[in-house]
Amino acid sequence: MGAEGGKEGGWTTMKIDPEIFEELGVRDPEETKREMAISKRVRQVRKELKGDPGNIDLQLELGRLFIDGADFEGAIKQLRQIISRDRQNGLAYKLLGTAYAMSNHEDEATRELTRASELLAEDPEVHMNLGGVFMLQDMYESAARSFRQVVKVDPMDRLGYANLAAAYDCDKKYDEEIQVLKKILMFSPEDIELRSALSTAYFNSENYDEALNHALCVIELDEKDPQAYCNLGSCYAAQNMVDEAVKAFQTASEIDPDYSLPHTNLGSLYATIGRIEKAIKEFKMATNMNQSDALAWMNLHSCYKEVGRMDDAQEAYK
């Protein structure tokens, strides 16, 4: 075997997945190296600041290093000192808002990132971070406004479009979501997640024909995706195409026998058309696979009541 990666002796360098270290209960050496590099640079910057205490660039770098090292309290203290001396420093506000956001202080993050967006109006990252904080606060209209600013500054920012679509979805503005998803799919026409999101948006807007078309497109891209068949089944069910819906849900179960959602969906379909015993069978399978499936438990409770099995209904309700 020949040399590989510039090393002789036939050695192959393998990058180990960080999750393996978590399972073993030990630290990822790469993460340890990163933390050591941050600590080393912090010491260097502090040393340089002793000789040049007024250097704003070094002060900002120190604040950024604190954030990178997850020392958010240190970052906040450092960056507030900079702002107290220079209230026009947009980067300081940006970093301060980021530190607040990463330490779960959303109100303070919103305040500082809003100020940063005023001072750095052409920085898409500021608007992206501000939009993210608004999403955490369930302020979807404000989030959409920030994400619109991202794509205004950078019309090719795919992540900005994706987040804008997500904000519209959370705000139940499905027509706006559809337009955004159609635009981003021009960049990535074979992106399965985006195509699936578009199908779902059409479904939520009750445009079932388009929802079905895009659900079929997702399956063409990946015929082994059980979620895609669940979505397809839901589209068929919405148009009263019962046989097609049943087949789609059954296909999803065949692809992934341990996946509970096809059974929940199929049970819901059977219950809707009055096949209560079949619905009960599917809901029982779903709850056996996934004890946390609240919809399956609720529907199972209702089906038991429908056929007069009150003790079973009470058990399902628990």
Side-chain angles (χ1 to χ4, degrees):
M1 182 168 59
E4 186 172 334
K7 295 184 179 182
E8 297 181 357
W11 287 99
T12 301
T13 301
M14 180 176 67
K15 176 69 173 92
I16 300 176
D17 191 318
E19 292 184 2
I20 294 177
F21 292 105
E22 293 180 12
E23 293 174 3
L24 294 173
V26 297
R27 300 202 64 192
D28 180 357
E30 293 295 326
E31 182 64 22
T32 301
K33 286 169 59 178
R34 175 179 174 276
E35 292 178 0
M36 290 177 63
I38 292 172
S39 297
K40 180 179 179 181
R41 182 55 188 162
V42 166
R43 291 193 297 270
Q44 291 174 338
V45 170
R46 280 176 164 162
K47 184 177 180 181
E48 291 175 31
L49 279 171
K50 287 182 179 180
D52 189 5
N55 191 314
I56 297 297
D57 290 337
L58 286 174
Q59 293 174 24
L60 288 168
E61 183 182 356
L62 185 58
R64 186 183 288 108
L65 287 167
F66 283 144
I67 294 174
D68 291 342
D71 181 3
F72 304 123
E73 184 176 341
I76 290 168
K77 180 179 179 181
Q78 171 69 20
L79 294 162
R80 289 179 65 178
Q81 288 177 356
I82 297 172
I83 290 171
S84 69
R85 296 190 294 269
D86 180 5
R87 298 193 176 277
Q88 298 300 310
N89 194 313
L91 181 54
Y93 282 103
K94 173 183 174 179
L95 293 173
L96 180 57
T98 301
Y100 275 130
M102 296 182 72
S103 57
N104 300 317
H105 290 84
E106 286 87 3
D107 290 340
E108 293 85 349
T110 299
R111 182 187 65 230
E112 305 304 339
L113 287 170
T114 297
R115 180 55 177 154
S117 70
E118 296 167 355
L119 296 169
L120 302 173
E122 298 302 310
D123 185 341
E125 189 177 39
V126 172
H127 301 292
M128 184 76 81
N129 291 351
L130 180 57
V133 174
F134 282 136
M135 290 289 282
L136 291 173
Q137 297 176 302
D138 297 336
M139 299 172 63
Y140 303 125
E141 185 174 348
S142 296
R145 183 170 60 248
S146 293
F147 294 138
R148 283 197 299 270
Q149 192 63 29
V150 172
V151 298
K152 179 181 179 181
V153 174
D154 183 1
M156 301 302 290
D157 192 320
R158 294 172 54 193
L159 184 58
Y161 283 111
N163 284 340
L164 178 57
Y168 283 140
D169 183 78
C170 291
D171 208 20
K172 302 187 187 307
K173 294 183 176 179
Y174 301 122
D175 290 339
E176 290 88 342
E177 180 188 6
I178 287 167
Q179 294 306 312
V180 172
L181 288 170
K182 287 170 68 175
K183 183 173 292 186
I184 191 174
L185 276 165
M186 293 173 63
F187 303 133
S188 307
E190 296 188 354
D191 188 306
I192 293 175
E193 289 187 8
L194 291 174
R195 186 71 62 180
S196 181
L198 181 57
S199 176
T200 301
Y202 275 123
F203 186 89
N204 289 334
S205 67
E206 301 183 357
N207 187 339
Y208 301 122
D209 287 337
E210 285 297 329
L212 178 58
N213 289 336
H214 288 281
L216 288 168
C217 183
V218 172
I219 288 173
E220 288 180 5
L221 294 170
D222 183 3
E223 60 182 15
K224 296 298 184 182
D225 183 352
Q227 177 65 60
Y229 281 97
C230 282
N231 290 348
L232 178 63
S234 295
C235 292
Y236 282 136
Q239 300 190 77
N240 297 317
M241 300 170 69
V242 175
D243 291 342
E244 291 84 351
V246 169
K247 183 177 179 180
F249 293 138
Q250 289 176 342
T251 300
S253 292
E254 291 168 3
I255 293 172
D256 187 353
D258 297 324
Y259 190 31
S260 67
L261 184 59
H263 297 286
T264 302
N265 288 354
L266 187 52
S268 298
L269 176 59
Y270 282 142
T272 300
I273 62 178
R275 300 179 186 176
I276 304 301
E277 291 298 336
K278 283 193 171 184
I280 289 173
K281 179 181 177 182
E282 295 298 331
F283 289 136
K284 287 177 68 176
M285 292 178 67
T287 54
N288 285 335
M289 293 178 181
N290 181 8
Q291 293 287 321
S292 301
D293 191 334
L295 179 60
W297 282 114
M298 182 181 69
N299 288 341
L300 181 59
H301 166 76
S302 298
C303 286
Y304 278 140
K305 287 182 64 178
E306 182 77 15
V307 296
R309 296 168 59 177
M310 304 310 295
D311 289 343
D312 289 331
Q314 186 63 31
E315 187 67 25
Y317 188 73
K318 293 179 181 179

